[in-house]
Each structure stands twice: as structure tokens, then as C-alpha cells.
Amino acid sequence: MEKAPINWINMVLFTATPICAVTLVPLYGYFYGYDLYEWLVFVFLMGFCGMSITGGYHRLWSHKTYSAHPFLRFIFAIGGACALQNDILHWSSDHRRHHQYVDNNARDPYFAGRGFWFSHIGWILRKYESHVEDFSNVKDLQKDPIVMWQHRHYLKLVLLTNIGLPAFLGYLHGDIIACLLLGGLLRLVLSQHVTYLINSLAHMWGRQPYSDDCTARDNSLLALITYGEGYHNYHHTFQWDYRNGVKWWHFDPTKWMIKLCSLVGLTKDLKRCTVAQIEKAKLEMQYRLATERCELLDIPENWRKRLELEYEQFLHTLQLWTEHRQAWYEAKGKKIQETLGHWDQLQLQDKYKEMQFSLKVQRRRWQKMLRNLGEPIPNPA
Ligand SMILES: [Zn+2]
Ligand SMILES: [Zn+2]
């Protein structure tokens, strides 16, 4: 089969920068050394680029999971240019297409099924047919003046942020070359490959607790180096949620940054899906896998029936819990408080707490059932 034509600009750029980084950075370090200030410049610019991509390009512009003040959008636009991953318009258009046609060989621009190399960087190095420039899916972004400003001045911004900014920080400190090597070159190569790992590794390595409709995976280790983007199975299942790491303890600095910014008015309308939606997705996935296992292990029919019953009961409890929760939250609202007596309020609270307990028991029983699949079990009731 004939190979796609090479994109020479990208090929030279993505070959030369890593080669220069692995040779020049250690050589300069060996002869002259780097001090704390220069490493801090590296860390600062790494975070600036990384969070501009995850918080800005990805969760704000591509998915509209929240809205942001123009000041923050401007900062993200600068940081995104520094990351040198194309402008917001191109990036978001590609990414929306990735979600819409995920795992479709002909239309997903970085389809992981074509292998690690292709989904990581190969798709940028050649002009593949699956990577089309078509802005029809980003018409909303074309109305954002900051997006269009960055689009028009992208090259200038790239040069200013990648050469001008590290050089200026180096000038302040008295070593321009050290800052250019660490804050410019090494940071550029590393921050690019960190993002690319989401397109490659996060579609190959990890768990699929929410859905296996596509190859996306949850990987906590990957989340550590990708500013929280490693929870990619959750993200592909609930792409409108501003969080990727949904539990409070999931390492997701992008989610924390968006939340912190909302406290000072820089972000608002943070979208999240409900606990019930998440629980339901997990439950459906577990049930399907369990029935598949039953088939595979030739588990008796009465066991499968019991599993089905338990699954339906879990769904029912979840539904009741959602209704009681909503009723209780509404009762806490100001308007209803005025019309609802204190006694009624207490009753709603008690009912909600009861349902919460039932859900907990139900969850425990379900987990136990999954663990003991096929074994002789006592009556779950
Ligand atoms: Zn996405
Ligand atoms: Zn993906």
C-alpha cells in the first residue's frame, strides 16, 4: 500500500527538536551546569503549557465543559502556542473529530488501532486522509475573538513564547542559553510527548470501568504526568464533565485549577455528571462483563437469573436513591423551605438517609456477587 505523503515541516521539527534536546541539554549541563532558577523556569513553563492544553484546548474549547473569563482564555491561548501543538482551532477540530469517530480507521485522526507510533506522533508526520482540515465542527469557536486572534498570529506567538519568553527569563537571571535549553527546548519536547501519550497509551493501557464502546482507558499512573488526563475511559464516556478524575482523590490538577478559578470568578458553569449517571454506567459495564463470564464458564442458568435479578434491583435502588436525593435537595432550597414545614423536611431527610444506606448495602451485595460468580452462594437477601 502506498504511504501517505510526508509533512516535511512537521517531520523536520519533530525529529530535530528531540535530537537537539537529548544532545545539547546534557552537554551544556556537563560543561556549565544548571542552577535552581533555570530548573524552576523549566517546571513553570512545563506546567504553563500542559495546563493550557488540558484546561484550555481540551476541556474548555474542545468540550465546553465550563466557561472562562477572557483573561483566562488569553492565558490559555498564549500557553497553547508555547506548547506548539497547533492553534486552538485546529487542535479542537481534530479532537472533536477524534471523539465523534473514535476508533474509526478512516475518520479518527489519531486512531489507536493503527498502533502506538501512529496515534502518538505518526499521524502528524504524514498527510493522512483521516486527518482533514475541516473547521465545520468548530464554528462556535470561530466566534471567540481570542481563538481567532491566536489563529491569526499563531506563528508570531510560537516564536515569542518558545524563544522570546525563555530567553527573557534567562536574561533576567544572566544565562540566556541555559534557560533556552531547559525552558525552551527540553520543555517543548517533553510537554508535547506528554500530551501525545493521551492519544496513544491512554487508548491502550489501563482499565475500562465505564464503557468499552471505545478503546479509551483509565490509568492513574498516566494521570500523574498528564495533569489528570489519564482517566481517559471516564472522559470518553462523559466528555461534557469538567473533571477527568471523578473521585476527589483522583490526581487531576486540571480539575482543581478549574474549580479554584471558579472561586475567584475566572471560570463558571462547571458541568459535572451526576453520581447516579456514573454509578449506572459502571453497573451496566459490570453486569455485561459478568454475563459474558457466565457464558464462558458455563455457569448454571439459575445463577445467571439471580445475577439479572440483583442487577435490576440495583438499578431500582439507584433510581429511588436519585429521587429521594433530589427531593431532599429541593427541600433545602429557599423557596420550598418557606412553604414546607419543618417536620416534612425532616421526613425527607430521613428518607434520603435511609435510601443512602440501602444503596450502600446494595453495592456491597453486588460486589460480593461479582467476586463469587458461579460459586454456591447463600441467599443474598
Ligand atoms: Zn476529549
Ligand atoms: Zn481519546
Side-chain angles (χ1 to χ4, degrees):
M1 204 172 73
E2 210 178 302
K3 278 201 160 188
I6 291 175
N7 182 331
W8 280 107
I9 295 177
N10 286 352
M11 187 66 96
V12 170
L13 190 74
F14 287 100
T15 310
T17 46
I19 291 174
C20 290
V22 295
T23 49
L24 298 180
V25 174
L27 265 178
Y28 191 85
Y30 179 75
F31 287 109
Y32 304 102
Y34 298 110
D35 63 19
L36 182 65
Y37 174 91
E38 287 140 11
W39 280 112
L40 284 176
V41 166
F42 166 78
V43 172
F44 164 71
L45 288 177
M46 216 30 217
F48 178 44
C49 291
M51 300 281 258
S52 296
I53 294 292
T54 60
Y57 275 44
H58 188 211
R59 300 193 203 182
L60 173 69
W61 282 302
S62 297
H63 293 295
K64 308 206 120 188
T65 65
Y66 65 98
S67 37
H69 189 277
F71 173 71
L72 191 62
R73 300 209 308 273
F74 172 73
I75 298 288
F76 285 156
I78 301 287
C82 189
L84 194 53
Q85 292 181 24
N86 220 331
D87 60 25
I88 301 159
L89 219 49
H90 279 93
W91 202 103
S92 301
S93 174
D94 288 343
H95 193 70
R96 284 181 183 181
R97 207 164 285 119
H98 165 61
H99 274 263
Q100 189 181 357
Y101 302 111
V102 64
D103 295 339
N104 176 331
N105 191 9
R107 305 195 80 173
D108 177 355
Y110 25 89
F111 171 41
R114 291 173 82 163
F116 179 88
W117 179 254
F118 176 82
S119 55
H120 190 73
I121 197 170
W123 67 280
I124 307 168
L125 303 181
R126 287 176 182 272
K127 294 171 181 168
Y128 289 98
E129 278 176 23
S130 51
H131 186 203
V132 287
E133 190 181 298
D134 171 12
F135 292 149
S136 61
N137 62 350
V138 283
K139 283 191 176 134
D140 55 319
L141 301 185
Q142 285 172 321
K143 290 179 199 145
D144 184 335
I146 292 172
V147 171
M148 295 319 288
W149 169 79
Q150 195 228 33
H151 181 67
R152 280 193 303 275
H153 302 286
Y154 184 64
L155 190 61
K156 277 173 263 173
L157 289 171
V158 163
L159 295 174
L160 263 175
T161 49
N162 279 281
I163 299 170
L165 182 60
F168 174 68
L169 293 171
Y171 166 75
L172 292 179
H173 182 59
D175 192 340
I176 294 176
I177 296 176
C179 280
L180 271 174
L181 286 174
L182 286 189
L185 189 60
L186 183 66
R187 183 268 320 153
L188 174 69
V189 173
L190 284 181
S191 74
Q192 282 178 331
H193 284 278
V194 159
T195 303
Y196 301 154
L197 281 176
I198 301 300
N199 301 335
S200 55
L201 217 51
H203 275 266
M204 293 171 180
W205 179 35
R207 299 180 314 115
Q208 295 181 296
Y210 305 99
S211 164
D212 60 358
D213 288 346
C214 76
T215 49
R217 320 230 157 199
D218 267 18
N219 185 320
S220 329
L221 275 178
L222 212 51
L224 289 178
I225 54 163
T226 54
Y227 313 92
E229 302 272 279
Y231 302 101
H232 208 52
N233 187 254
Y234 180 83
H235 172 62
H236 267 270
T237 316
F238 301 108
Q239 56 178 292
W240 62 90
D241 197 320
Y242 85 95
R243 307 160 300 172
N244 275 15
V246 71
K247 302 276 186 206
W248 67 266
W249 43 267
H250 280 165
F251 185 79
D252 186 355
T254 308
K255 151 187 92 176
W256 295 323
M257 171 192 69
I258 296 169
K259 182 74 188 163
L260 271 176
C261 284
S262 75
L263 302 179
V264 291
L266 283 174
T267 61
K268 60 181 181 179
D269 306 327
L270 278 53
K271 296 190 193 90
R272 353 168 7 135
C273 53
T274 64
V275 180
Q277 282 173 310
I278 299 167
E279 188 107 36
K280 193 163 175 259
K282 266 166 79 174
L283 182 65
E284 279 168 0
M285 185 74 192
Q286 287 167 347
Y287 175 62
R288 205 163 49 69
L289 289 180
T291 45
E292 279 171 18
R293 242 183 101 203
C294 283
E295 298 256 325
L296 202 73
L297 302 174
D298 211 13
I299 287 170
E301 188 59 28
N302 61 346
W303 226 104
R304 292 183 218 185
K305 281 259 178 307
R306 178 161 280 175
L307 188 74
E308 191 185 334
L309 256 165
E310 195 66 27
Y311 165 69
E312 276 163 11
Q313 202 175 329
F314 199 156
L315 279 179
H316 182 63
T317 315
L318 197 60
Q319 177 64 29
L320 284 179
W321 174 81
T322 311
E323 285 165 15
H324 281 87
R325 188 174 196 251
Q326 201 173 339
W328 162 234
Y329 274 81
E330 275 172 15
K332 282 205 298 185
K334 216 177 168 191
K335 269 187 187 161
I336 297 169
Q337 223 166 24
E338 288 159 8
T339 53
L340 211 66
H342 182 62
W343 181 246
D344 295 330
Q345 263 205 49
L346 274 181
Q347 257 191 332
L348 281 174
Q349 188 184 12
D350 283 350
K351 272 189 188 161
Y352 169 52
K353 282 193 173 165
E354 265 171 41
M355 278 317 298
Q356 202 154 17
F357 181 72
S358 302
L359 188 65
K360 210 171 161 184
V361 172
Q362 178 78 65
R363 202 179 281 131
R364 215 179 291 152
R365 211 164 60 196
W366 175 252
Q367 294 299 343
K368 198 171 171 187
M369 224 177 168
L370 293 183
R371 273 199 306 274
N372 300 316
L373 207 65
E375 287 175 18
I377 52 159
N379 192 335

